[in-house]
Amino acid sequence: MPEYLTYVWRPVPGSRHAFPIAATKLAPEETATAYCGTEVEAAKLHDLNELAWILEPTCMDCWKHLANTPPRT
């Protein structure tokens, strides 16, 4: 099991997607790409409210990608 996070879930407009942890370090004007291929402005990965976590559905393509990827050691 990795000692640190390798991905993070974020409820961006439209769905809750999984992103590589490096996406959280992008400049706000850069583009972050989820594991399913969805691209969003990196700024949308920050300052999320609790309602977004409740209302946005989980992207099943991201889920399947992560479920089928062996954990890093």
Side-chain angles (χ1 to χ4, degrees), residues 17-62:
H17 292 281
F19 296 87
I21 196 68
T24 63
K25 310 243 188 289
L26 295 173
E29 67 278 359
E30 293 184 275
T31 300
T33 304
Y35 284 102
C36 68
T38 296
E39 295 183 343
V40 298
E41 294 173 22
K44 295 191 184 306
L45 303 181
H46 306 287
D47 300 324
L48 306 166
N49 63 45
E50 290 182 34
L51 191 57
W53 285 98
I54 295 167
L55 295 178
E56 297 296 348
T58 297
C59 172
M60 294 313 294
D61 289 338
C62 284

